[in-house]
Amino acid sequence: MMVYSKVYPVAKIVVKYMNSMLPPSQRCRDQTDKEPTGPYKRENLLKFLEEKAKTEKDWEDVCPYTPGVKRGKVYDSDSGRNSEEPESGKMEMPIEIDLDEDEEELECALVTAPEKDLVDLAGILGMHNVLNQPQYYNALKGKMQDETTGTTFNGIVQSYVPRIVPDEPDNDTDVEQCINRLREDDTDLKEVNINNMKRLSKERIRTLIEAACNSKHIEKFSLANTAISDSEARGLIELIETSPSLRVINVESNFLTPELLARLLRSTLVTQSIVEFKADNQLHSRPTVLKWSALKL
């Protein structure tokens, strides 16, 4: 009771000052020493502020107003910018070209000039429509054109060339042959892969799993993206518990529930031979419950 009596007043004060629904007069501690002049009257306050504003002197301008004198920058409607600002992206000093020389000499110089110099000249003259952006800004800044920006006029309309990715070939695993070899416990059959074979019937998948239980040499069993559900995958529990050679099992991208996945994981503790168990991207599994791509046991 002693602790409660000491803590309760402090908690009451904290709650009182943290409650935003209370008015400021009750929420904040009063720090003024002046006596109140009376009740709040909005009309009288507005009248007082208006009379005080009329009697106070205006602030003095740093630059006194002069009729006919424009201050600051003047907007030019033709160029769309202020008259005192330089044009963006252009050199402040004008470029003068002396054309008093012999026209044939000038034409010969332009014809024999390398394309790299012509790119710089086009950028200096503002011909941005025949250059790419790095070439144009390098010419304005006086930088040399290099291989990264391009030294010719060929790079102005280069588009992205998509990388052609060949289609993944279909899984050509002979399921019937695998079933027969598993039943005969073929020592050379150590991996069975039926990934992406969605058209394979559920009965054939059950038969394949039952045949895999007879093999003592299978090491890897993959059934990813085969549209199997719990009814077909229950046979994997017996396979995991009885196969001493099985090391890797893959059931990704299927329709297994978290309950069955948990049973599959518990079954790996029997032989403890599984080193990799893949069960990601299950339609009926919540990401917060099951989220692994390759679980190392």
Side-chain angles (χ1 to χ4, degrees):
M1 294 299 293
M2 290 293 292
V3 176
Y4 181 81
S5 61
K6 292 181 180 179
V7 174
Y8 177 74
V10 178
K12 184 177 181 181
I13 293 173
V14 172
V15 172
K16 177 180 178 181
Y17 286 108
M18 291 180 63
N19 191 354
S20 60
M21 302 301 294
L22 294 175
S25 59
Q26 299 182 17
R27 223 182 323 132
C28 303
R29 184 167 57 89
D30 188 7
Q31 301 180 4
T32 59
D33 299 332
K34 296 181 180 180
E35 296 293 334
T37 57
Y40 170 71
K41 295 182 180 180
R42 184 174 181 276
E43 292 77 9
N44 295 344
L45 178 60
L46 294 177
K47 184 178 180 181
F48 167 76
L49 295 175
E50 184 177 355
E51 292 177 355
K52 185 177 181 181
K54 290 180 180 179
T55 55
E56 286 184 351
K57 184 180 179 181
D58 294 338
W59 293 349
E60 296 183 1
D61 294 338
V62 179
C63 297
Y65 172 72
T66 305
V69 177
K70 296 181 179 180
R71 301 178 183 176
K73 300 175 182 179
V74 181
Y75 179 77
D76 189 1
S77 59
D78 296 334
S79 61
R81 60 185 183 87
N82 295 327
S83 59
E84 297 184 6
E85 294 181 353
E87 295 185 8
S88 176
K90 294 186 179 181
M91 307 179 94
E92 298 182 6
M93 297 181 61
I95 301 174
E96 298 181 0
I97 301 178
D98 190 4
L99 298 178
D100 295 337
E101 300 178 357
D102 190 3
E103 295 183 0
E104 295 181 359
E105 200 174 308
L106 179 61
E107 184 179 355
C108 180
L110 293 176
V111 170
T112 58
E115 193 170 2
K116 181 179 179 180
D117 296 340
L118 295 178
V119 169
D120 288 334
L121 181 61
I124 294 173
L125 295 178
M127 303 171 64
H128 56 83
N129 55 338
V130 296
L131 303 175
N132 57 31
Q133 191 172 7
Q135 288 176 342
Y136 177 67
Y137 283 107
N138 278 358
L140 292 181
K141 296 176 182 178
K143 295 182 179 180
M144 298 295 295
Q145 306 292 346
D146 50 18
E147 298 298 333
T148 59
T149 60
T151 57
T152 62
F153 295 99
N154 297 331
I156 56 175
V157 289
Q158 291 182 356
S159 61
Y160 169 72
V161 179
R163 183 170 60 91
I164 300 176
V165 180
D167 296 335
E168 185 177 354
D170 297 334
N171 194 339
D172 56 353
T173 302
D174 190 347
V175 180
E176 296 297 331
Q177 183 181 2
C178 290
I179 293 175
N180 296 330
R181 294 178 63 182
L182 288 172
R183 286 175 176 174
E184 297 173 358
D185 193 10
D186 190 350
T187 58
D188 296 332
L189 184 59
K190 297 182 179 181
E191 179 180 354
V192 176
N193 187 340
I194 60 170
N195 293 342
N196 304 319
M197 299 181 67
K198 294 183 178 181
R199 296 183 179 180
L200 189 63
S201 63
K202 302 300 184 289
E203 290 77 10
R204 289 287 87 191
I205 295 178
R206 293 193 189 96
T207 306
L208 180 65
I209 296 175
E210 293 175 359
C213 296
N214 299 325
S215 175
K216 305 300 180 184
H217 301 87
I218 184 172
E219 297 179 359
K220 186 175 181 180
F221 198 48
S222 300
L223 300 92
N225 195 25
T226 52
I228 61 174
S229 58
D230 290 358
S231 59
E232 295 82 30
R234 286 193 183 95
L236 295 174
I237 299 176
E238 182 183 355
L239 173 63
I240 296 173
E241 292 178 349
T242 58
S243 178
S245 60
L246 189 61
R247 298 290 183 269
V248 179
I249 186 167
N250 185 0
V251 289
E252 291 179 332
S253 303
N254 285 304
F255 301 92
L256 307 184
T257 60
E259 292 77 9
L260 182 64
L261 291 176
R263 294 180 59 187
L264 290 174
L265 287 175
R266 282 194 293 266
S267 64
T268 59
L269 301 176
V270 177
T271 59
Q272 297 185 3
S273 62
I274 302 294
V275 296
E276 188 172 359
F277 183 90
K278 297 182 179 180
D280 195 16
N281 193 25
Q282 301 296 332
L283 182 62
H284 298 315
S285 299
R286 294 175 295 178
T288 55
V289 176
L290 293 170
K291 189 177 182 182
W292 60 73
S293 59
L295 178 63
K296 303 293 184 179
L297 298 178

